[in-house]
Amino acid sequence: QVLLVQSGSELKKPGASVKVSCKASGYIFAGYTINWVRQAPGQGLEWMGWINTDTGIPTYARAFTGRFVFSLDTSVSTSYLQIDSLRAEDTAVYYCARVRTGWYSDYWGQGTLVTVSS
Amino acid sequence: QSVLTQPPSASGTPGQRVAISCSGSSSNIGTNAVNWYQQLPGAAPKLLISTNKQRPSGVPDRFSGSESGTSASLAISGLQSEDEAVYYCAAWDDRLDAYVFGTGTKVTVL
């Protein structure tokens, strides 16, 4: 079956970096784009952008340019989200999700809580 | 602020019908398909409706989606206690060149 399994929770200090992984299984990894979505505590869903798993080309939403980097390791069917220069306001749950034609996400990772605190 | 507006809350008793609206514009709902997601407490979002009204396998037919002009609606008929969740609409926005989520509606079963 299709699964997206994300790495575990992270506690980081302001200014540090974090790298969240999203390992896909049960389907051909290069066949489906991966979305990244942020959910701040008690808030709604916010689309961060996507990465083309065939070409490796990322596309970032306007609010997520600069400190956010999407990457891939196709040899292990894994997508990554790296956030540099962490700030307290980056504290959130980050989700990866598989994208289908029509821009809907049919499978989601379980989410990774990133907490930024001194 | 999201460009897709939903009521913050909705409620009903078991067995009732609840409808959730999602108001957008010509650059999103007016042009592109609407998707709906259900987020149970403490869980990841789950796809409920794709492409305006398609139910993925395993989603009960109590859930239905519709779209008209620049608005969309999710209806839950025969409301059950396990339907307590936050529901989000979403669509691609051509003007923003982004996938946008609605503000979310918390459904409470009384």
Side-chain angles (χ1 to χ4, degrees):
Chain A
Q1 79 278 30
V2 174
L3 282 176
L4 295 174
V5 179
Q6 298 184 226
S7 48
S9 298
E10 300 269 9
L11 174 59
K12 296 289 185 180
K13 293 190 184 305
S17 294
V18 69
K19 194 169 187 177
V20 176
S21 67
C22 169
K23 182 172 176 58
S25 61
Y27 71 98
I28 298 173
F29 183 64
Y32 300 87
T33 293
I34 292 286
N35 264 346
W36 286 93
V37 175
R38 182 173 79 176
Q39 187 168 39
Q43 302 300 308
L45 303 173
E46 186 175 17
W47 181 72
M48 302 175 65
W50 56 279
I51 185 162
N52 184 316
T53 52
D54 186 32
T55 64
I57 297 174
T59 299
Y60 302 97
R62 289 176 195 171
F64 296 96
T65 56
R67 298 185 300 116
F68 300 85
V69 178
F70 307 147
S71 62
L72 302 173
D73 184 343
T74 55
S75 69
V76 289
S77 301
T78 299
S79 180
Y80 301 94
L81 162 66
Q82 180 167 323
I83 311 172
D84 297 323
S85 303
L86 282 163
R87 307 166 181 167
E89 53 264 38
D90 294 324
T91 294
V93 176
Y94 293 85
Y95 294 102
C96 62
R98 190 178 81 161
V99 182
R100 303 298 301 272
T101 303
W103 273 101
Y104 62 91
S105 288
D106 58 350
Y107 289 92
W108 293 66
Q110 82 276 22
T112 296
L113 173 63
V114 174
T115 303
V116 183
S117 174
S118 54
Chain B
Q1 272 108 341
S2 175
V3 297
L4 300 182
T5 303
Q6 300 178 236
S9 64
S11 62
T13 56
Q16 273 191 329
R17 181 182 183 275
V18 168
I20 301 167
S21 61
C22 175
S23 177
S25 68
S26 59
S27 63
N28 42 65
I29 297 177
T31 307
N32 299 303
V34 178
N35 311 306
W36 291 89
Y37 300 92
Q38 175 194 60
Q39 189 173 32
L40 297 170
K46 169 192 168 184
L47 179 66
L48 206 59
I49 298 286
S50 66
T51 324
N52 296 327
K53 58 182 180 182
Q54 304 302 317
R55 276 189 313 278
S57 173
V59 173
D61 59 7
R62 302 185 291 105
F63 295 92
S64 62
S66 63
E67 170 266 340
S68 178
T70 59
S71 294
S73 181
L74 173 71
I76 311 173
S77 58
L79 194 65
Q80 298 183 6
S81 57
E82 57 260 40
D83 299 333
E84 277 209 344
V86 179
Y87 294 84
Y88 295 93
C89 60
W92 185 263
D93 189 293
D94 290 341
R95 181 177 61 84
L96 296 175
D97 204 21
Y99 189 61
V100 292
F101 288 96
T103 48
T105 299
K106 181 174 173 54
V107 169
T108 302
V109 181
L110 302 170

